[in-house]
Amino acid sequence: MAVTFSDPHTEEGIKSLDQFLSGKTYISGDQLTKDDIKVYAAVVEKPGDSFPNAAKWYDAVSSQLAPSFPGHAQGVRFSGAAAPAEAAPAKAAATAEEDDDDLDLFGDETEEDKKAAEEREAAKKPAKKKESGKFSVLLDVKPWDDETDMKKLEEAVRSIEMPGLLWGASKLVPVGYGIKKLRIMMTIVDDLVSVDTLVEERLTVEPCNEYIQSCDIVAFNKI
């Protein structure tokens, strides 16, 4: 279970850490773990005597890390605040492990953290293969007027060929004032043919628009 501390750069944060470490040697048990490294990296200097538990823990972590960094430290400074030299390598170690660390020791999980976690989980899941389906579409094809040659209109419609498209039965349906429209059935494979694209980029543009004014989808059913 994740442990949450206040900002370790403040006295309140150190106080919270000191209270947590009462009766404890390390953050998560009786051995040094990456939890200790992460907290240690955030504490800019050894806590004072008013925080004995935190000071004792700080010394314990420092003694564990010292053999790994035998060089003589000169001290470094960040934004005007001096930081112990041994804290810098610890911060680097904490940064390297941060991507795989789900413990939130200093505050609530941010929206960015949640989104990143969700994206990692989604990436682990195999993508579902989209199932190709067939649909039966009933289309009304309207002429410009009563003088439009409906036989040539139907020929223009059926002249359109593409993978996944099969034209079916048709008939002329009276509209009014001597005008008839072509009602035609077609079968499409949905991942190969878009009805909207078929209408907007093939049926209602040249050369078909010489006979076709507009098209309407009457029915759209999965087979």
Side-chain angles (χ1 to χ4, degrees):
M1 181 178 180
V3 181
T4 301
F5 297 117
S6 301
D7 185 353
H9 296 91
T10 65
E11 183 174 345
E12 183 64 28
I14 298 299
K15 180 179 179 181
S16 172
L17 176 63
D18 185 74
Q19 292 173 346
F20 177 81
L21 288 169
S22 177
K24 297 182 178 68
T25 303
Y26 296 106
I27 299 294
S28 301
D30 56 1
Q31 292 184 337
L32 183 72
T33 68
K34 62 182 180 180
D35 294 345
D36 296 282
I37 299 300
K38 186 173 183 179
V39 178
Y40 182 86
V43 177
V44 296
E45 60 184 358
K46 179 180 177 179
D49 294 340
S50 56
F51 306 107
N53 300 317
K56 180 180 177 181
W57 163 84
Y58 190 93
D59 286 338
V61 176
S62 296
S63 65
Q64 291 264 28
L65 294 176
S68 301
F69 307 101
H72 180 66
Q74 298 296 321
V76 294
R77 186 176 298 274
F78 296 97
S79 300
E86 53 267 85
K91 287 183 180 179
T95 301
E97 296 179 344
E98 186 172 351
D99 289 341
D100 297 324
D101 187 7
D102 293 329
L103 289 174
D104 181 7
L105 298 176
F106 303 112
D108 296 333
E109 186 178 27
T110 66
E111 289 299 323
E112 290 77 8
D113 293 335
K114 292 179 181 178
K115 183 177 180 181
E118 291 172 358
E119 290 176 349
R120 288 196 297 270
E121 288 300 318
K124 294 177 183 178
K125 297 178 181 178
K128 293 183 178 179
K129 185 177 180 180
K130 181 181 177 182
E131 295 184 1
S132 177
K134 287 186 176 182
F135 288 84
S136 173
V137 182
L138 188 60
L139 191 69
D140 274 355
V141 184
K142 300 176 182 178
W144 288 102
D145 52 38
D146 60 341
E147 296 181 358
T148 300
D149 189 328
M150 296 303 292
K151 183 178 180 180
K152 289 185 177 180
L153 181 146
E154 183 171 354
E155 289 176 353
V157 171
R158 292 184 182 276
S159 69
I160 297 175
E161 297 179 353
M162 62 176 63
L165 170 64
L166 179 64
W167 296 107
S170 65
K171 65 178 181 179
L172 296 179
V173 179
V175 177
Y177 302 101
I179 300 175
K180 294 181 180 180
K181 62 183 176 182
L182 175 70
R183 179 163 291 176
I184 187 168
M185 182 71 70
M186 62 179 175
T187 301
I188 65 168
V189 178
D190 65 337
D191 58 352
L192 296 177
V193 179
S194 164
V195 178
D196 289 339
T197 301
L198 175 64
V199 171
E200 294 172 4
E201 298 182 8
R202 302 295 295 274
L203 289 170
T204 55
V205 298
E206 293 183 352
C208 293
N209 65 352
E210 180 180 351
Y211 308 102
I212 299 171
Q213 180 194 60
S214 62
C215 299
D216 292 321
I217 297 173
V218 179
F220 194 102
N221 300 302
K222 185 174 179 62
I223 299 176

